[in-house]
């Protein structure tokens, strides 16, 4: 059996939902259908989840919510009308939303999650109703009834191990289950959402729970590309890639698949296929445990901006036992998570996402490093980008970094930092953010120039 997840653009309008229905109807193995909230219908549209966040914020400020509520209801009204469903379903959705708006405002995190999650929840009810109306044997299933238990961290739920035990039972149902993505329930019965884009996570958890033969992730592109199509014209389509390669690329901004979503599928060895709702006959990208590497050691090039570095220098740092621990302890104390820590002999740079580093935190961290570690120099620099060259085939392949650095020389880009773990699955180059696009173009030409399609 297959678990198929349809993202926001795939369920954004009646027309899109009709495509989803025919995809589901054409393959009997598509038994569990996970849906997002209605997403954007065009590039200047607003996702229902974002409308719901505005609704939640208005509620929490204690202001009148009627306009925001209406904006959400309009989307469902349009969809229901386009699908030929009666007024009843919209009335049910309205009643549901009004009830959610009564929730205790003194629990803002839980209140926001309850409102946010209504996007997928109501869409799943609507889609199940449509499936039934066209004769599919389908039913809506609530994550609480299915036993999808998660930790009680609003906006950042983590699945609890026992959830998988409960979800196993869904394998025996002989109807199509329409399941809302993006949220589960705590053991105490609170609704909790995953991080943004988390319907991918729901799909992966369900696929792992029922031990699906395949987890299909339907989106609005034909495949995962070897580089960002907004930077490279018509980039190479990736046919097969490994979980680790996908993980590395989603870390650096490949937004096709949520990085947390890979884990349940990976741990249970469930193959993932990224496919296009608007072009379902295209084979898409398979994400699997292993591929053959000899044809293309490098699978993709990605770049992500918004990094800062804390540079620290102290004479004889290399001999000072505990220096690294004390440095990281200061970051831990300040609630900062770091990404990389390339080091010299007497200096080290801690690279982190700069959105965490407010001016106030920066001042405090710099002062503490100065005082507590008695360093010779410490300062923060911002606006770095991390460019990643990813590919499991790089392991033991000679010459990849020389080709990469030659490409950067041609692009006249200074490398501020180089990082490569011994697994050699990725080579990370720290550069100034303003050089990022140029760098990706040059690296792409170096590693994919002339290639028509990635074959393994
Ligand atoms: N609707 C949610 C979001 O926009 C979750 C998802 O679509 O995966 O973040």
């Amino acid at each position: 059996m297959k678990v198929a997840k349809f993202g926001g653009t795939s369920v954004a309008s009646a027309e899109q939902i009709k495509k989803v229905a025919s995809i589901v109807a054409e393959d009997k193995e598509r038994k569990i259908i996970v849906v997002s909230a209605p997403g954007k219908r065009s590039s200047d549209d607003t996702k229902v989840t974002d409308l719901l966040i505005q609704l939640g914020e208005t509620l929490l400020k204690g202001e009148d919510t009627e306009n925001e509520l209406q904006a959400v209801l309009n989307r469902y009204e349009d969809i229901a009308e386009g699908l030929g469903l009666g007024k009843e379903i919209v009335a049910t959705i309205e009643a549901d939303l009004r009830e959610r708006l009564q929730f205790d405002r003194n629990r803002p995190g839980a209140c926001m999650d309850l409102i946010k999650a209504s996007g997928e929840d109501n869409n799943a009810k609507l889609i199940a109703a449509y499936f039934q109306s066209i004769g599919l044997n389908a039913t809506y299933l609530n994550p609480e009834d299915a036993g999808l238990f998660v930790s009680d961290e609003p906006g950042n739920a983590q699945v609890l191990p026992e959830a998988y035990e409960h979800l196993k039972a869904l394998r025996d149902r002989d109807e199509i289950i329409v399941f809302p993505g993006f949220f589960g329930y705590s053991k105490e019965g609170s609704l909790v959402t995953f991080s943004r884009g988390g319907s991918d996570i729901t799909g992966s958890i369900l696929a792992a729970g029922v031990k699906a033969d395949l987890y299909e992730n339907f989106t609005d592109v034909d495949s995962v590309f070897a580089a960002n199509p907004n930077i490279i014209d018509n980039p190479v389509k990736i046919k097969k890639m490994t979980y680790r390669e996908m993980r590395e690329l989603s870390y650096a901004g490949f937004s096709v698949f949520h990085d947390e979503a890979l884990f349940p599928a990976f741990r249970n060895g469930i193959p993932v296929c990224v496919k296009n709702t608007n072009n379902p006959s295209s084979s898409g990208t398979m994400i699997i445990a292993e591929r053959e590497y000899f044809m293309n050691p490098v699978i993709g090039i990605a770049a992500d901006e918004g990094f800062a570095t804390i540079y620290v220098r102290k004479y004889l740092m290399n001999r000072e036992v505990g220096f690294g621990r004390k440095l990281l302890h200061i970051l831990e104390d300040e609630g900062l998570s770091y990404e990389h820590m390339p080091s010299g002999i007497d200096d080290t740079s801690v690279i982190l996402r700069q959105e965490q580093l407010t001016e106030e935190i920066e001042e405090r961290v710099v002062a503490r490093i100065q005082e507590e570690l008695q360093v010779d120099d410490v300062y923060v620099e911002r606006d770095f980008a991390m460019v990643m060259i990813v590919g499991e085939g790089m392991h033991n392949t000679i010459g990849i970094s020389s080709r990469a650095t030659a490409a950067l020389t041609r692009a006249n880009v200074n490398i501020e930092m180089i990082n490569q773990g011994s697994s050699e699955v990725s080579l990370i180059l720290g550069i100034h953010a303003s050089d990022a696009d140029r760098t990706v173009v040059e690296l792409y030409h170096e590693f994919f120039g002339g290639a028509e399609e990635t074959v393994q």
Side-chain angles (χ1 to χ4, degrees), residues 1-4 30-34 170 177 179 206 210:
M1 72 180 293
K2 298 175 184 169
V3 171
R30 295 189 173 122
K31 292 292 296 291
I32 299 184
I33 311 303
V34 178
L170 301 183
I177 294 170
F179 200 100
L206 285 173
V210 300

Side-chain angles (χ1 to χ4, degrees), residues 324-339:
R325 183 187 53 75
K326 287 182 212 150
L327 176 61
L328 292 179
H329 183 72
I330 295 174
L331 300 190
E332 184 181 351
D333 256 8
E334 298 290 339
L336 298 171
S337 91
Y338 79 99
E339 307 288 320

